[in-house]
Structure formats: structure tokens, C-alpha cells
Amino acid sequence: MSTPQARRKTRTDAERNRDRVLEAARALFAESGYDVQMSEVARVAGVGIGTLYRKFPTREALIEAIAEHRAADIIAAARRLTEADDPAQGLARFLHHVGEVLSDDRGMSEVVEKAMGSSEPREETREALLAIAAELIERAQARGTVGHGVTTADVNMIICGLAAVIRNAAGDWRRYIEVALDGLRPR
Amino acid sequence: MSTPQARRKTRTDAERNRDRVLEAARALFAESGYDVQMSEVARVAGVGIGTLYRKFPTREALIEAIAEHRAADIIAAARRLTEADDPAQGLARFLHHVGEVLSDDRGMSEVVEKAMGSSEPREETREALLAIAAELIERAQARGTVGHGVTTADVNMIICGLAAVIRNAAGDWRRYIEVALDGLRPR
DNA sequence: CATAATATGGAATGCGGAATCCGGATTCCG
DNA sequence: CGGAATCCGGATTCCGCATTCCATATTATG
């Protein structure tokens, strides 16, 4: 059951290649979304397809590895913004941060749009983001800068819409956020 | 240029089959979006794949035929709503109508989300919808029920987001519309 | 160094699904 | 009716991609 101790250290070239693959995949996914071909990833990484598959046994595994990593970044950065004094402003910054990330990463905008819909409680990224939103909303409501009917479900939809607007280049997403936030103000 | 007159009337069974195909495709697309297989469409239509392809030489042709038809319906209905007295209410009804249609038709929600992004001026559906919105906005602004900064671009984004919210079941889309409309009110 | 342990590349394979082809069935027209 | 014009069905071809395999190359270890 336990790992065989008599194992050699992983070869250094293997490790180097793993990094290359991750790097290439991250770039390609950000550039054109997750419908990039595995062979393309390998080519850009300067690696054979076989190697790519040794590192990530499945296309999905590769995508997941990267999306997870990216998501963690978003969440961490967002959590930092929570600590600002003005919670309403915090919410604004939070959304702008998400927008900033998504507009630089097509792949993420695809993932986020879908993730905000998945009703599975297992969707950690969404849970984390909404947890942050929950705190901000509550604090803002206490100050009367956000309406009382507002819930995380609202933020959920707003983010889902935001992802769509960005992904389809449907307009100025900053303006979209402005409108949405105005919509959350107390009546 | 003109049709060869010496041509027989199109066979009645051919016409019947065409209708069946359209009907089946409409139902399937509404049910599960446009990623349905051609063979499935044929099966449901009670028709061979060959026949399906004679009517619509390409998967895309089939999709287009149906989407176009559906879009025309949306536009016509929406235009009717424009004639209401209160333009702000008209805008609300307009969005609700779009929501109603999209939530009953997965395929359309896919199409609309993309269509609102396409920057091609050729996108007739978008143009038509935004034309309706333009009139409502203008009238509402005159009455002071909608903010002055508001443009059709805003409505464009809102619809794009709406489609995404519905498509991903990200929450209660009626509430989404409420929030968005509140966001368009004068400050 | 020698050699076992690992890693590599990329041709070959498998597969899902769109689109084509054509022998046979139907329908129209005089 | 008869037979020419049309249409049908669905097996088959094609194609794009993910994934696998393995002969060869590289690295760690003693």
C-alpha cells in the first residue's frame, strides 16, 4: 500500500517536461479556450504526445489540473479584497477582479460560466467564491449599501452572466458590472 | 435565374418528410441543445439519414433553418410588446418574454448567447432585438424611468447574460432580470 | 563506467459522428 | 397502366482527434 521506498528520484528531465507542458497548456487554454488539441499542446510544449500523456493521462486531467490551479489564484486574490473596509466597494472590486482574470483567460471564462450553473455541492470553486460574496453582502447590508433581498444566488447569476459577456465579447464588461451592482443597491 | 417550368410538382411524401424532420429537429434542439446527432434527428423524425441530408445538406443548414424560424417568432412577439404604454414596463416584458422563450428552448439559449456577441453587422436577430430595445429605452428615458447613460449595448449584455444564466441553470432568471432592470434605473 | 530504471517521441490505433452513395421503393404523369 | 422522374434508407466512407504502444534514448546509481 505504501510507496516503495526503494525508488529512484524522479528524473530531472521528466520534471522539466512536466513544467513545459503545464506552461504551454496554460497559455493555449487562456488564448483559445479548452478546445485545443492535445497534439497542439505537445507541439507548443516541445514534447512528444506520448510524454504529454505520461504526465496527464487524459485530456480532462490536464484541463482539470490547470483550471484548479487558476481557480485557486482567483479565490486567493478575491479573499484578499474582502478585507477592504467598505464591503460594497469590496464586492465591486471582487467582481472586477473576476472580470479581469476572465478577460485574460478564455478557458477560465468557459469553466466559470459552467461552474456557476452546476448544482453539485462539490463545485469547490463556486462555493469558495460565493462564500466570499456572502460575507461581503452581509456586511454591506448591515451598512445599508446593498438591498435586503440580495443573496449569493444573485451574485452567482451575475458572475455567470459576466463570464458569458466576456466570453462572447458581447460588450464592455466593466459597464455590465456597474449595472449589476446598481441593481443590488437598496431601493 | 427562373425555375425550370417543365418540372413536376415535388412529391408529396418528400414534403411530408421535410416537415417531419423540421418538427423532430425543433423538438430535439429545444430539449437538449444543438449537439444532437444527425442520426438521432433522423430516427426521431422516422426517416433515413439519407433523407435528412437531402433536405438539409448540412448539419449547420438544419440548425440555421430552425434557429432562423424561432428567432423570427421571438422578434415578432417582442415587437408587439413594444406598443405598451409604459416603456419601462415594456422593457421588462420584453426581457421576460425572451427569458420565457429561452428557458423552454435550450437550443435557442445557445444561439442567443453567441449571437449577442458576434460583432458582425449581419446578425439580423440581434439587430432586430436591439432595435426594439432602442425604442423602448429612448421613450423610457424621456419619461425618466431609465437612466441617461443606458444604451442598447447594455441591453445586449443583459440578454447575453440572461441566456447564460438560463442555459446553465445558474439561478432564478426572473430575479436576474429584476436586478438588471433596477441597475438601469436613473440614479 | 556499466546497467537497470525511467522517460521519450510519434506512428499506429480506436472511435464518434458527419456526410456520401447507390440499389431499391414510390410517386407522378400521360 | 407503364415507365421515367424522384425520393428513400442506412451501410459505408471519411475525418478529426484522443489515447496507446513500444523501440529507442536518457538519467540515476553504485
Side-chain angles (χ1 to χ4, degrees), chain A residues 9 23-24 28 49 53 62 77 84 86 90-91 96 162 165 169 173 183:
Chain A
K9 184 175 57 167
E23 174 59 25
L28 284 173
I49 311 121
Y53 270 90
L62 175 59
D86 181 351
L91 195 56
H96 277 281
L162 174 62
V165 167
W173 59 267

Side-chain angles (χ1 to χ4, degrees), chain B residues 49-70:
Chain B
I49 312 121
T51 301
L52 168 51
Y53 270 93
R54 174 122 9 67
K55 312 303 182 187
F56 304 92
T58 264
R59 148 179 265 280
E60 204 163 317
L62 176 59
I63 291 177
E64 195 171 326
I66 289 176
E68 216 159 276
H69 191 267
R70 289 295 267 139

Side-chain angles (χ1 to χ4, degrees), chain A residues 136-155:
Chain A
L136 289 170
I137 289 172
E138 199 167 351
R139 284 208 286 141
Q141 282 173 332
R143 292 204 192 181
T145 43
V146 153
H148 274 95
V150 175
T151 71
T152 57
D154 298 335
V155 175

Side-chain angles (χ1 to χ4, degrees), chain A residues 149-151 154 157 183-184, chain B residues 172-180:
Chain A
V150 175
T151 71
D154 298 335
M157 290 191 285
L184 297 181
Chain B
D172 174 9
W173 59 267
R174 290 165 205 277
R175 166 70 179 159
Y176 169 89
I177 291 177
E178 261 9 278
V179 172

Side-chain angles (χ1 to χ4, degrees), chain A residues 1 7 23 69 85 149 171:
Chain A
M1 189 75 248
R7 214 193 210 60
E23 174 59 25
H69 191 266
D85 268 351

Side-chain angles (χ1 to χ4, degrees), chain B residues 88-99:
Chain B
Q89 197 176 58
L91 195 57
R93 284 188 183 153
F94 168 60
L95 289 178
H96 277 280
H97 176 252
V98 173

